[in-house]
Amino acid sequence: GEGELLTSVVNYLVRLEPEHVEASSIWEGWLTRNPPPLSTVAICAKGFKDIAPFIPSKLQRSLKTRINKALELIKNTYPADYTMPSNHASMSDLATLFALAIGALDNVSPYKYLGLANQELGNGNLGKKRFLGDDYFKVDDEAIWFMAIPLEAIVFFNRAIALQNSGSVVSAQRFKAKGLMKLQEALDIYGQYNFYPELFIQTASEIKPPEEANDLLWNHAEMIQAAA
């Protein structure tokens, strides 16, 4: 049944040891690397935590070991996240922001990542690069991804909720204001282009969506989650 299938999948992943295995990142079509990307390990650990209540007791100890090993890796390497086996010229990566937004890195400060990523990947109001050395277009133009804006908004709003629940009202309001600012940046882009571009191309003279820019569903989903 479904329970047996779930147990088999978790047992396989536990034996695989995600914090050690050669693995890919969230980016499509990329090669694997070892050690695995920080964001990949963090997302696996969150999956283990979320699924733990449904797993038989005989696997709980192994599951806890994998979670603790993942947390150890995060502690030792965050905010550095290398998603490529080579040509990854920045310590930071946009994949880390995704892991932060889904709650896979709740045990670390988002500021440590954002401080580094803003320097390396950009802190403008159009989004962020995935990583330095990204050859998405295999030319000198650099891709700046809109998804970073709603993802940052989600991170700020989630932190605001956590602080509010812990009684830190002033700090919660500060994070809420940051989230609202990011939402407004995204809405301004929609107002200018009448859709959420998948990405922008930065050349020596301008930044604009490519001619074949798509209005992707995931950008709308991220905006809905940020505004919820």
Side-chain angles (χ1 to χ4, degrees):
E2 293 181 359
E4 293 179 354
L5 176 60
L6 186 60
T7 299
S8 297
V9 171
V10 172
N11 189 40
Y12 167 75
L13 290 174
V14 165
R15 294 169 60 189
L16 195 63
E17 301 184 358
E19 74 279 6
H20 294 142
V21 71
E22 183 172 329
S24 61
S25 70
I26 67 170
W27 308 130
E28 61 184 352
W30 292 113
L31 301 176
T32 58
R33 75 181 307 273
N34 192 2
L38 168 78
S39 48
T40 299
V41 174
I43 292 168
C44 285
K46 176 175 169 51
F48 284 156
K49 290 179 185 177
D50 292 346
I51 210 170
F54 309 99
I55 298 304
S57 57
K58 65 181 181 180
L59 278 178
Q60 290 294 333
R61 184 174 180 179
S62 297
L63 201 61
K64 187 175 182 180
T65 297
R66 296 277 65 82
I67 293 171
N68 289 338
K69 290 292 185 180
L71 292 176
E72 182 180 342
L73 182 145
I74 291 167
K75 179 181 177 181
N76 291 335
T77 59
Y78 178 82
D81 190 4
Y82 297 96
T83 58
M84 298 295 108
S86 61
N87 300 323
H88 197 290
S90 56
M91 287 181 61
S92 58
D93 194 289
L94 184 54
T96 315
L97 185 58
F98 179 81
L100 282 164
I102 67 170
L105 290 168
D106 282 350
N107 58 319
V108 296
S109 168
Y111 276 134
K112 195 170 182 180
Y113 165 77
L114 291 172
L116 177 63
N118 286 349
Q119 292 179 359
E120 294 184 329
L121 310 180
N123 61 352
N125 59 0
L126 296 178
K128 279 181 165 54
K129 302 169 188 175
R130 294 191 295 186
F131 54 90
L132 295 184
D134 185 5
D135 60 351
Y136 185 80
F137 283 98
K138 302 186 184 303
V139 291
D140 293 334
D141 301 342
E142 294 188 298
I144 298 175
W145 298 81
F146 168 84
M147 73 171 78
I149 301 176
L151 286 176
E152 282 194 43
I154 293 169
V155 169
F156 289 138
F157 286 139
N158 286 346
R159 189 51 60 102
I161 292 170
L163 289 168
Q164 182 77 33
N165 292 339
S166 68
S168 301
V169 178
V170 175
S171 295
Q173 290 298 317
R174 186 168 66 250
F175 274 94
K176 179 181 178 181
K178 290 178 179 292
L180 289 172
M181 182 179 67
K182 284 296 173 183
L183 271 184
Q184 188 59 57
E185 289 178 2
L187 292 172
D188 288 345
I189 290 173
Y190 189 90
Q192 180 176 355
Y193 296 102
N194 204 32
F195 75 109
Y196 296 122
E198 177 184 10
L199 52 84
F200 295 86
I201 298 302
Q202 181 176 2
T203 66
S205 59
E206 60 182 347
I207 301 177
K208 64 179 182 179
E211 293 182 3
E212 68 278 14
N214 297 313
D215 187 11
L216 297 182
L217 182 60
W218 76 52
N219 285 335
H220 290 271
E222 289 169 359
M223 288 296 295
I224 291 171
Q225 183 180 354

